[in-house]
């Protein structure tokens, strides 16, 4: 197994133990699996991965990594009606991007269809499974409820021969979908509903993304999953809490089939994050109904969305380590994810200047037709990041919000008569304002002090404000996309009040600024490279970018609401 790219700058975290890592450690001490550790990450290829999956990926690959074990990537592709190759490919891309590698251990549950079928035949022969002809409606009625036991199906005592014949004919495609199912013969009075003769095979006349039309019976998840784990000799089968009640069935199937590898299923609480949804069904709905531009819309909590937004794999891994692994469901504040992101970007993002809402400034005493190049450090926290040249000339843009004609007390930016520092350049003082007929400010006139080149005055004269800027002549046009959380409500999933989660979609989640001006060094900005636009936050180039109009996403602003709440709490 490869460890995450060491050259990446990673925020230091202490890798704390948790109850799953303790189980693994104890099993190593007792030599339960002869010293082996084998885990798996088993996505169903019916959507793109999200940050919840990242938690599972970090946990499974992490445990394998720490114990010189292996972690398999297994596609749980047992439901052909919802699965697609596009999803398989995106999942592989995302796991790799997060920094993990399954090496040769790539598997598909569909590779085991023949074996799973043979196991089913074995169960029939041993009277542990039967073909049931109840309709779906009847099956539900016979099942009972949490307070009432179920009733035996009238087909429960078919002979082995009859079951074998019917199952064979199901496989041959003789029957329509829903006509028959194969059920495990367990106990219709079990207090655990999962044990009331669960369906293990159904007829589905759908083409499978890998096996095509070869099969028209497909194994159910509970049946296929434990056997796939066993076939791959997984030692610890880690899943989310909703499978806790399925564990007796997991164990029953493996025990009854007397397989020689019986993995241990261990459940942990799934990740929930505030102001977003982490259900594939809901994410699919947002994509299909065009609430977002696609699975990789930068507002989506998908790995591809986070990547496009400018998240780094290190920031996501750090987050997954920090939230830990527990048995109890909880909601993690999205601010914690953003806090770790800022920490990581602060280390690795180069600083550049970009003006989002430009206001023209003319420097009256700067010689016309002249220009110069000023030296700017790329990252004050990292001497290896070097410097670059930034062109300066008589006309520049500053941020509209950095100028006020009649400033309130405590406004340290530019206003008539006030002096401010232009980052990396000079001190300037505002001398006049040019307006149009309706009183809008068209340009601001200033003078500069040539003695302050580089942004420092020799007489140590103090200025309180430092502004970012770009030279009008050299600036590149850009579109900048600013984002807010996708949902206004911390828990949009709370459907108790009968309100659909989409009601809470944030109408301001995307704001597009069309006339931004950025410094020329950004002409060659590569996709995925993080930048800090001074005073504006962290940004990265978007896929939609064109040479004539660059497009940037704001990954996250500079203000850290997590740090603030943390401080308050102390
Ligand atoms: P959904 O319920 O949204 O459809 P899923 O659990 O069915 O998601 P899978 O493709 O089956 O999606 O998930 C693959 C693995 O990722 C499973 O082991 C699952 O337990 C884990 N996983 C999915 N969502 C989360 C989450 N929010 N937090 C932690 N692990 C998760
Ligand atoms: Mg699942």
């Amino acid at each position: 197994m490869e460890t995450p790219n060491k050259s990446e700058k990673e925020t230091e975290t202490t890798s704390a133990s948790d109850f799953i890592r303790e189980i693994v450690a104890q099993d190593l001490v007792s030599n339960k699996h002869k010293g082996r550790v084998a885990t798996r990450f088993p996505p169903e290829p019916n959507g793109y991965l999200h940050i919840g999956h990242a938690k599972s990926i970090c946990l499974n690959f992490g445990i394998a990594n720490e114990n010189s074990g292996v972690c398999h990537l297994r596609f749980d592709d047992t439901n052909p009606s919802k699965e697609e190759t596009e999803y398989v490919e995106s999942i592989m891309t995302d796991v790799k991007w997060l920094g993990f590698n399954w090496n040769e251990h790539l598997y598909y549950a569909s590779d085991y269809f023949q074996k799973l079928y043979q196991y089913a035949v074995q169960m029939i022969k041993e009277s542990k499974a039967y073909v049931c002809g109840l309709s779906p409606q009847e099956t539900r009625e016979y099942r009972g409820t949490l307070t009432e036991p179920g009733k035996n199906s009238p087909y429960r005592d078919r002979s082995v021969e009859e079951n074998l014949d019917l199952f064979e004919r199901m496989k041959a495609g003789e029957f329509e979908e829903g006509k028959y199912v194969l059920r495990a013969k367990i106990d219709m009075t079990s207090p655990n509903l999962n044990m009331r003769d669960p369906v293990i095979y159904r007829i589905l006349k759908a083409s499978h993304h890998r096996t095509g039309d070869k099969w028209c019976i497909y194994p159910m998840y509970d049946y296929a999953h434990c056997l796939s784990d066993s076939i791959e000799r997984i030692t610890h089968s880690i899943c989310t809490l909703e499978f806790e009640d399925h564990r007796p069935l997991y164990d029953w199937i493996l025990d009854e089939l007397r397989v020689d590898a019986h993995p241990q299923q261990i459940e942990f609480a799934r990740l929930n994050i505030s102001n977003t949804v982490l259900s594939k069904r809901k994410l699919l709905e947002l994509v299909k109904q065009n609430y977002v531009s696609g699975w990789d819309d930068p507002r989506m909590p998908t790995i591809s969305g986070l990547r496009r937004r400018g998240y780094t794999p290190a920031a996501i891994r750090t987050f997954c380590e920090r939230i830990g692994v527990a048995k109890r469901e909880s909601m993690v504040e999205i601010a914690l994810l953003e806090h770790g992101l800022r920490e990581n970007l602060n280390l690795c993002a180069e600083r550049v200047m970009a003006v989002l809402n430009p206001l023209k400034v003319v420097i009256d005493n700067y010689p016309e037709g002249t220009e110069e190049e000023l030296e700017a450090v790329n990252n004050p926290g990292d001497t290896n990041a070097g410097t670059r040249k930034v062109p300066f000339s008589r006309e520049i843009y500053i941020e509209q919000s950095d100028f006020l004609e009649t400033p309130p007390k405590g406004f340290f930016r530019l206003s008539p008569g006030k002096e401010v520092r232009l980052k990396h350049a000079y001190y300037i003082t505002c001398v006049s304002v040019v307006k149009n007929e309706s009183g809008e400010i068209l340009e601001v006139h200033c003078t500069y002090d040539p003695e302050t080149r580089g942004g420092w005055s020799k007489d140590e004269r103090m200025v309180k404000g430092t502004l970012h800027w770009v030279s009008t002549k050299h600036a590149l046009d850009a579109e900048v996309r600013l984002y807010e959380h996708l949902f206004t409500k911390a828990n949009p999933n709370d459907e108790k009040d009968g309100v659909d989660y989409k009601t809470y979609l944030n109408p301001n989640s995307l704001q597009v600024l069309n006339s931004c001006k950025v410094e020329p060094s950004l002409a060659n900005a590569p996709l995925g490279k993080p930048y800090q636009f001074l005073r504006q936050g962290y940004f990265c180039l978007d896929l939609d970018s064109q040479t004539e109009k660059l497009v940037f996403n704001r990954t996250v602003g500079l203000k850290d609401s997590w740090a603030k709440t943390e401080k308050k709490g102390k």
Side-chain angles (χ1 to χ4, degrees):
M1 166 133 6
E2 261 172 38
T3 44
N5 187 355
K6 282 282 186 277
S7 65
E8 250 182 275
K9 288 179 188 163
E10 196 127 8
T11 321
E12 289 289 322
T13 49
T14 44
S15 180
S17 189
D18 53 63
F19 77 98
I20 301 181
R21 286 179 162 89
E22 270 160 32
I23 294 173
V24 173
Q26 278 162 17
D27 290 347
L28 283 172
V29 170
S30 67
N31 210 23
K32 183 169 168 191
H33 304 283
K34 304 202 174 73
R36 281 191 322 118
V37 172
T39 57
R40 84 285 170 272
F41 172 63
E44 185 182 350
N46 61 352
Y48 280 60
L49 297 182
H50 53 61
I51 180 106
H53 294 114
K55 174 175 178 179
S56 175
I57 293 168
C58 290
L59 182 61
N60 280 293
F61 281 92
I63 287 178
N65 222 352
E66 293 152 24
N67 295 287
S68 314
V70 290
C71 180
H72 299 182
L73 175 62
R74 183 201 314 140
F75 288 100
D76 230 327
D77 54 352
T78 53
N79 182 1
S81 51
K82 289 186 184 161
E83 295 160 6
E84 290 173 28
T85 317
E86 177 196 344
Y87 298 138
V88 170
E89 281 161 9
S90 75
I91 289 169
M92 294 202 268
T93 304
D94 290 350
V95 174
K96 276 193 205 146
W97 180 77
L98 277 173
F100 299 104
N101 197 329
W102 53 88
N103 296 314
E104 69 273 29
H105 298 291
L106 174 63
Y107 305 103
Y108 295 83
S110 55
D111 287 347
Y112 310 137
F113 280 171
Q114 185 61 33
K115 272 192 192 160
L116 298 177
Y117 170 76
Q118 282 161 350
Y119 277 130
V121 169
Q122 182 187 333
M123 283 177 66
I124 295 173
K125 285 185 179 160
E126 296 177 1
S127 289
K128 288 165 186 164
Y130 62 96
V131 173
C132 184
L134 289 178
S135 69
Q137 166 75 17
E138 289 166 327
T139 307
R140 237 171 287 136
E141 284 161 16
Y142 274 73
R143 200 163 175 239
T145 63
L146 282 172
T147 50
E148 282 166 60
K151 282 189 303 190
N152 282 353
S153 157
Y155 306 104
R156 202 172 195 260
D157 296 315
R158 277 190 213 280
S159 68
V160 168
E161 290 68 36
E162 205 185 335
N163 277 319
L164 283 176
D165 173 61
L166 283 172
F167 190 48
E168 185 58 34
R169 286 161 63 196
M170 280 166 69
K171 178 178 172 248
E174 207 174 296
F175 310 117
E176 287 315 300
E177 286 184 12
K179 173 99 174 94
Y180 289 114
V181 290
L182 184 70
R183 297 174 69 176
K185 198 191 272 189
I186 310 180
D187 179 5
M188 289 306 291
T189 64
S190 169
N192 183 340
L193 290 169
N194 296 304
M195 299 298 271
R196 293 186 188 170
D197 292 9
V199 173
I200 58 175
Y201 262 95
R202 65 200 154 151
I203 301 169
L204 269 183
K205 304 254 166 117
S207 220
H208 186 278
H209 74 112
R210 296 192 85 231
T211 58
D213 296 322
K214 177 159 184 239
W215 295 89
C216 59
I217 51 170
Y218 288 93
M220 299 299 286
Y221 176 86
D222 281 333
Y223 174 77
H225 196 79
C226 56
L227 286 167
S228 304
D229 280 348
S230 172
I231 291 166
E232 292 176 18
R233 306 186 75 78
I234 297 300
T235 56
H236 302 85
S237 174
I238 301 166
C239 62
T240 36
L241 274 183
E242 68 271 23
F243 291 103
E244 198 165 23
D245 291 343
H246 297 237
R247 184 167 8 109
L249 179 56
Y250 185 103
D251 290 331
W252 185 90
I253 293 168
L254 297 184
D255 286 340
E256 294 300 319
L257 284 168
R258 302 178 300 282
V259 293
D260 43 86
H262 190 138
Q264 179 184 0
Q265 178 180 306
I266 308 169
E267 309 87 14
F268 70 100
R270 62 196 295 125
L271 170 65
N272 300 301
I273 298 190
S274 68
N275 301 91
T276 191
V277 293
L278 290 184
S279 136
K280 275 196 266 184
R281 182 183 64 75
K282 289 177 184 163
L283 296 174
L284 179 67
E285 188 175 39
L286 294 176
V287 172
K288 290 270 153 71
Q289 297 184 11
N290 298 319
Y291 288 101
V292 292
S293 65
W295 285 100
D296 69 345
D297 185 301
R299 293 166 292 177
M300 290 281 271
T302 50
I303 306 295
S304 50
L306 296 171
R307 174 167 62 237
R308 185 166 172 186
R309 174 84 169 251
Y311 274 72
T312 56
I316 297 176
R317 290 195 302 264
T318 303
F319 171 74
C320 291
E321 262 178 45
R322 284 189 179 157
I323 55 176
V325 179
K327 266 277 186 198
R328 211 164 46 102
E329 287 264 350
S330 64
M331 165 96 76
V332 177
E333 295 256 356
I334 198 164
L336 177 64
L337 175 64
E338 293 170 348
H339 171 70
L341 176 65
R342 281 189 195 91
E343 269 182 337
N344 185 248
L345 292 177
N346 183 39
L347 292 177
C348 58
E350 289 187 4
R351 276 63 170 166
V352 291
M353 295 197 285
V355 174
L356 305 192
N357 294 296
L359 170 65
K360 196 199 258 185
V361 171
V362 182
I363 301 165
D364 294 334
N365 61 340
Y366 194 87
E368 252 172 287
T370 307
E371 58 185 69
E372 64 186 303
E373 288 201 310
L374 298 162
E375 177 132 316
V377 291
N378 290 329
N379 188 344
D382 178 1
T383 42
N384 294 328
T387 60
R388 68 184 186 290
K389 301 282 188 204
V390 186
F392 185 79
S393 65
R394 190 168 185 268
E395 289 188 3
I396 60 167
Y397 292 115
I398 63 166
E399 215 63 67
Q400 282 170 20
S401 59
D402 280 337
F403 177 79
L404 273 184
E405 205 180 0
T406 43
K409 209 168 152 255
F411 182 82
F412 298 124
R413 290 164 272 169
L414 197 63
S415 53
K418 281 268 173 61
E419 185 171 52
V420 295
R421 173 192 291 117
L422 293 177
K423 184 79 181 171
H424 308 303
Y426 294 100
Y427 283 18
I428 56 167
T429 304
C430 174
V431 289
S432 63
V433 177
V434 178
K435 295 183 189 173
N436 65 10
E437 282 150 19
S438 44
E440 283 171 82
I441 297 174
L442 296 180
E443 54 187 53
V444 171
H445 284 250
C446 293
T447 55
Y448 85 117
D449 176 357
E451 295 300 308
T452 56
R453 194 170 194 271
W456 305 105
S457 79
K458 292 188 188 99
D459 61 7
E460 290 178 11
R461 178 164 97 244
M462 290 291 289
V463 287
K464 280 197 168 151
T466 301
L467 312 187
H468 59 277
W469 54 273
V470 288
S471 159
T472 59
K473 195 165 120 193
H474 303 90
L476 306 175
D477 289 324
E479 173 181 313
V480 166
R481 299 174 182 170
L482 304 178
Y483 302 100
E484 284 181 15
H485 299 147
L486 194 48
F487 292 91
T488 50
K489 197 174 176 214
N491 182 9
N493 296 302
D494 191 2
E495 280 158 14
K496 268 193 276 211
D497 44 358
V499 178
D500 184 83
Y501 72 101
K502 295 192 293 301
T503 315
Y504 303 114
L505 274 164
N506 179 359
N508 303 318
S509 59
L510 169 65
Q511 189 194 347
V512 179
L513 302 177
N514 267 313
S515 45
C516 309
K517 302 286 183 181
V518 303
E519 66 167 69
S521 73
L522 286 167
N524 303 314
L527 274 178
K529 178 171 168 157
Y531 290 96
Q532 186 190 106
F533 287 5
L534 285 181
R535 300 170 70 224
Q536 301 287 10
Y538 295 98
F539 292 76
C540 69
L541 196 74
D542 187 77
L543 301 171
D544 291 342
S545 202
Q546 310 270 327
T547 319
E548 59 277 17
K549 183 136 196 181
L550 301 173
V551 179
F552 288 93
N553 294 313
R554 177 150 76 185
T555 309
V556 69
L558 292 174
K559 212 168 92 201
D560 195 333
S561 58
W562 177 258
K564 216 161 75 190
T565 35
E566 278 286 86
K567 242 185 237 153
K568 254 194 249 159
K570 273 180 194 159

